[in-house]
Amino acid sequence: GENVEQHPSTLSVQEGDSAVIKCTYSDSASNYFPWYKQELGKGPQLIIDIRSNVGEKKDQRIAVTLNKTAKHFSLHITETQPEDSAVYFCAARLYNFNKFYFGSGTKLNVKP
Amino acid sequence: DVKVTQSSRYLVKRTGEKVFLECVQDMDHENMFWYRQDPGLGLRLIYFSYDVKMKEKGDIPEGYSVSREKKERFSLILESASTNQTSMYLCASSRGRGFRQETQYFGPGTRLLVL
């Protein structure tokens, strides 16, 4: 099966700085990579996703990049705000499978 | 908006009890999933279902069973709860099959404590 590793496990940044979270995957057959944000006491919510035929995707202050050759993808948050503080999960889905494989999560703390 | 609801936010049970966790989605999704979430381990898949009365084991099915009698409802059953099943349980649903599957939508979670 697939194995997804996520780094760092915790990340502390100053408000206004950028934050980068990185994930690697093991199976080159993975072709869809969503990112989730989980706020305290809530379930994870999709914030951005990328498919394997695309190298980068942006949505306002959030961007995701994918390097298929190196089998890694990253979440970039610019101009961080205190409300960005949460746990972020990356995931990978194998082509033609119904299962998603999740990273272990990154706790982001944005200091005002 | 997709809505996934779980029957309880918090649950306290005793060792050996049979525990039912219920999940309902209102978007006619084919796929439903049960995960457990533990610190440092991320989300681990327990069971999933891609159709009514169909189920498939995930990565950690031992000690759990599931039931999907209706498309919108997916139940997780702990036959005899043990303390190592103390965890946060997350239900999710998604549309589509295989490479057409869209992203998963999660419920708020049930925090289960087994004493």
Side-chain angles (χ1 to χ4, degrees):
Chain A
E2 174 63 280
N3 180 43
V4 177
E5 294 193 357
Q6 183 173 346
H7 299 281
S9 55
T10 59
L11 180 59
S12 195
V13 299
Q14 208 65 40
E15 182 177 359
D17 288 350
S18 295
V20 181
I21 302 170
K22 298 182 179 182
C23 288
T24 60
Y25 60 99
S26 59
D27 197 321
S28 55
S30 289
N31 69 337
Y32 174 63
F33 307 91
W35 283 89
Y36 293 87
K37 176 184 180 183
Q38 186 177 26
E39 295 174 327
L40 204 59
K42 297 184 179 179
Q45 285 198 304
L46 177 75
I47 54 171
I48 196 167
D49 55 10
I50 192 166
R51 298 187 186 273
S52 58
N53 58 348
V54 174
E56 183 175 0
K57 184 176 178 181
K58 266 183 126 172
D59 183 4
Q60 300 182 342
R61 295 187 298 109
I62 293 172
V64 57
T65 57
L66 171 65
N67 183 327
K68 282 194 297 184
T69 305
K71 295 205 279 272
H72 67 70
F73 57 112
S74 301
L75 177 71
H76 304 254
I77 307 174
T78 58
E79 299 170 26
T80 53
Q81 300 165 4
E83 50 265 38
D84 294 329
S85 295
V87 178
Y88 292 81
F89 289 97
C90 62
R93 189 200 69 203
L94 282 172
Y95 177 82
N96 215 28
F97 273 73
N98 280 345
K99 288 170 64 171
F100 283 78
Y101 295 84
F102 287 83
S104 53
T106 296
K107 186 173 183 180
L108 174 64
N109 180 34
V110 180
K111 295 178 283 188
Chain B
D1 266 0
V2 177
K3 196 163 183 186
V4 181
T5 57
Q6 295 183 228
S7 52
S8 306
R9 294 301 304 273
Y10 301 95
L11 216 48
V12 181
K13 296 291 180 181
R14 298 221 171 264
T15 303
E17 277 193 79
K18 191 167 185 176
V19 182
F20 292 88
L21 303 182
E22 303 283 336
C23 175
V24 177
Q25 50 92 6
D26 66 357
M27 286 302 291
D28 201 37
H29 283 173
E30 296 94 331
N31 310 307
M32 296 188 76
F33 306 79
W34 275 107
Y35 295 89
R36 64 176 281 177
Q37 182 178 19
D38 300 288
L41 297 178
L43 279 67
R44 293 181 292 166
L45 182 64
I46 304 170
Y47 267 97
F48 65 104
S49 167
Y50 53 88
D51 204 347
V52 176
K53 296 195 187 295
M54 303 300 289
K55 61 184 179 186
E56 286 198 30
K57 291 181 180 178
D59 301 313
I60 52 164
E62 297 78 19
Y64 304 94
S65 62
V66 291
S67 171
R68 191 157 181 211
E69 296 296 318
K70 292 185 178 181
K71 191 175 185 180
E72 67 271 18
R73 189 179 297 269
F74 192 35
S75 302
L76 179 70
I77 302 152
L78 286 65
E79 296 290 342
S80 177
S82 63
T83 54
N84 63 11
Q85 292 178 309
T86 291
S87 188
M88 168 74 96
Y89 290 88
L90 289 163
C91 175
S93 72
S94 69
R95 185 187 306 281
R97 295 283 179 86
F99 66 90
R100 293 190 179 85
Q101 187 190 167
E102 298 174 2
T103 195
Q104 298 186 352
Y105 295 88
F106 285 85
T110 296
R111 193 168 287 282
L112 173 67
L113 172 63
V114 182
L115 299 173

